[in-house]
Each structure stands twice: as structure tokens, then as C-alpha cells.
Amino acid sequence: MKRDFVSPLVKSLPPSGIRRFFDLVAEMDDVVSLGIGEPDFVTPWRIREAAIHSLKQGYTMYTSNQGLPELRKAISDYWFERRGIRYDYRREILITVGVSEALDLLMRAVLSPGDEVIMAEPSYVSYQPTVLLAGGVPRTVPTTLEDGFQLKAAAIEKVITDRTKVILLCSPNNPTGVTLQREVLADIARLAVKYDLLVVADEIYCELVYDEDYVSISQMPGMVDRVIVLNGFSKAFAMTGWRLGYAMGREDVIAAMNKIHQYTMLCASITSQKAALEALRNGQRDREDMHQQYSERRRLIVHGLNEMGLDCLLPQGAFYVFPSIRATGLDSETFCERLLKEEKVAVVPGTAFGASGEGFVRCSYAASIAEIQEALTRMERFVRRYRRGACASSEGV
Ligand code: PLP
């Protein structure tokens, strides 16, 4: 018999619910996709041009493990201007290959086997696997539509044990688009102090908020030293393919992350770092233009979904809406599979983000107005069919 080389831990990880679904989409024509979690914009030209220019100048080598000092300095200035928090670019910032790498490094840098990480559910698909691969134990706290998908400190406190080490926050959240309110963050901050926990704040969508200014948990009194902020260029600057992110926070954790990074990744791509520098220095107008377009699309899609009877909060951030599909009487997987087969619209089952995503689907509005309108027309037809079906079957009982 052939020897089985694959580790049981890796085998035990479920495949991403999003990928499985998009394998189906790939085989079909004429699909309108509201499924993808990445900007539909091409990276702004000035940023691409800066990268091309850097190549022409011969910047093709490794950088320091921590990343280009001028990029770290620019990140430090950027957040000082916006939040009044000054991270020391020499010791408190690490450039990574996306927030994805930063998350992985963080978990491996702080967790010992059996340490627990608390996170909201539904939440981003990579969180639980990243914790598990680092030997940690994910502890999920369900959030609900009725509570506005806010992650309440009281619910967190119930799952704290003497093995809890980290609270992982995502605001604005993928898949719900919800930002954590100031008072919710203040309560979580108090809890972190009370139980001496590290907070990891995934803020990759923080520049895509629409109605209010963004509040970071790192701005809560006494929290700077207890929060590692993860951020990157993928979403705000439409740079997913450049794979560039960073971690900011206390020196000991950043140094530990850098230790793993230097052996496993060495550094992020110099071309991407040069491009990111241009994004921070001169990319604000482009970022604001894209922001404006997301804002218009958000209103269109939320209005359309609510009109057809799929209850939906007005999300404060990111480019996702998370409507309830209960009115159709279908579960999330069936809804998505039938919507794809019958109307050729791709959305993602809420259950891809954890069991409490049942009864919801994630629709991304990182799509053109014309695509969103077409998707809404098709979805409206689909929902009308199933709403009637649901009524007919309940009348028949
Ligand atoms: N965090 C969240 C919440 C995300 O939604 C994503 C991508 O979809 C990431 C992190 C990954 O970001 P990056 O492209 O910087 O690796």
C-alpha cells in the first residue's frame, strides 16, 4: 500500500466553501457573479506605472526582511495622520505578503498548542484554519442579524477560559459588512485588559466604510500595546494580486512574526512594495473614486434585496451585503446552487463562513452597476418563484 504522506491536521481542514462553489461557476457561461471578494477595478494606473518604473530602474532584488524602510515610514506616517498613533517604523511594522501571511505569522508567533482564539461567526474563511494550523483552538461566538451582527463582550466573556490568548476582530466584517460600534469596541477592550488578552484587528476593509468615520480598537484607551493591527493594499487600492500587507503593533510580537517571516518568506516582493509606496503617497484620489463607486452600488443592492423580500442590513463597510434568505424557505447551500443553475447568478452560501451563516448568503457588490442590476433582476425572479412556492406549500399543510 502507498504510504500516506499528508498530515492528519491538514486532512482534517475542510475545503473552503467558497472555492468549491466557484468550481461550479467556472464551468458555466453567462453567469453574473456577486461572489468574488475582490475589487472589480484594475489597480490604478499611477500605481502600476510606479511598479513598471521600479523594474526599469533595476529594482529586482530582495528587500530587508521587515520590508523597505521608506514603505514602513510611509505606513507609519499614514496612520499617524489618520489615527494619531505613531508606530515606530524600525520596530513596530512588518511588511508581509498580504494580510493572509500576517495572520498566519501572528498565530504561529503567539500560540502554543491548545491556546484559544476567540472570533465572531460568521467570519472570514481563513481564520479558523490559520489558528488550527498554528496548533491553536478557534472558539467562535455566533452573531445574529437581530443584534446587527455585533460581537458583544458579554458573549465573548462566556467562552473565555484559562487557555484564551487572543481575540481576533474583523471590522468591517467579511461576510456581513458590519463595522463594530465604538461602545462594542470599548467593552471588548475592557475585557481584553481584564483577562490580559491580545487583540488582533484585521482592518483590511477599514478604508471602505461609508457613513461614519472608522474607529479602531487600537484607539481605545490603553490598547495600543495590546492590539496588533493587520492591514494591506488588496481592497482599498484594488491590489489583490500584488500580495502586500503589513502588521503594526508591539515590538515583541512584531519581532517574533519577523523571525518566522525571514525563514519562510524572506520578504515581500520589491515591485509590490514600490507600488504600495506610490499608493500611499499619491493614490488617495484613486482610492476615493473607487470608494464613491462602492458607496453607490451599496445603496442600489441593499434597496433591491430588501424590495424583493430578502431582509438585509445596510452594511457600514467592505463591499458585501448579507441578506437573509429565510423568506424563500431554502437553506443557504440550496439557495445558491439553485440560483446559479436556474438564473446563473453566483452568490456565496452564508455557511461558508460558519454554521451561524445558515439562512444568509453573501453578495459582493464589487461588480459594475449594470452587473448588479442584472443580478437583481434575475434574483427577483428567483425569489418570487420560491416565495410563492413557500406560501403554496405552507397553505397545503
Ligand atoms: N482578511 C479579510 C477579512 C479578507 O476578506 C481577506 C480577503 O478576502 C483577507 C484578509 C486577505 O487579504 P490579503 O489579500 O491582504 O491577503
Side-chain angles (χ1 to χ4, degrees), residues 229-250:
V229 173
L230 308 183
N231 209 330
F233 296 85
S234 288
K235 314 290 174 166
F237 293 100
M239 292 179 68
T240 46
W242 301 77
R243 313 304 307 123
L244 205 72
Y246 51 93
M248 305 187 291
R250 48 192 281 171

Side-chain angles (χ1 to χ4, degrees), residues 179-182 206 209-215 291 316:
T179 53
L180 296 174
Q181 293 159 353
R182 181 183 288 272
C206 77
V209 292
Y210 303 103
D211 302 321
E212 290 170 9
D213 290 342
Y214 184 75
V215 186
H291 180 276
Q316 302 92 355

Side-chain angles (χ1 to χ4, degrees), residues 62 150 204 345:
Y62 294 135
Q150 293 289 319
I204 189 147
V345 175

Side-chain angles (χ1 to χ4, degrees), residues 98-100 124 127 170 174 202 204-205 234-235 243:
V99 167
S100 304
Y124 178 49
Y127 291 162
C170 182
N174 175 4
D202 179 349
I204 189 147
Y205 296 105
S234 288
K235 314 290 174 166
R243 313 304 307 123

Side-chain angles (χ1 to χ4, degrees), residues 144-159:
T144 62
L145 177 66
E146 293 68 32
D147 263 346
F149 292 110
Q150 293 289 319
L151 176 62
K152 297 285 173 63
I156 296 179
E157 193 161 19
K158 285 197 188 124
V159 301

Side-chain angles (χ1 to χ4, degrees), residues 323-342:
S324 164
I325 50 143
R326 291 195 179 114
T328 62
L330 300 174
D331 63 60
S332 304
E333 288 261 335
T334 313
F335 181 99
C336 294
E337 273 170 30
R338 291 198 189 168
L339 181 64
L340 184 60
K341 287 198 180 120
E342 295 175 23

Side-chain angles (χ1 to χ4, degrees), residues 280-325:
L280 291 184
R281 285 186 179 155
N282 299 311
Q284 294 314 312
R285 275 277 292 284
D286 296 308
R287 184 182 66 71
E288 283 160 18
D289 281 352
M290 292 187 277
H291 180 276
Q292 178 59 32
Q293 294 189 56
Y294 289 130
S295 179
E296 285 160 22
R297 297 158 176 199
R298 176 183 69 134
R299 292 200 177 274
L300 173 71
I301 196 167
V302 169
H303 178 74
L305 291 169
N306 279 322
E307 282 283 294
M308 71 179 81
L310 300 185
D311 290 342
C312 177
L313 292 177
L314 180 69
Q316 302 92 355
F319 36 60
Y320 306 113
V321 278
F322 203 59
S324 164
I325 50 143

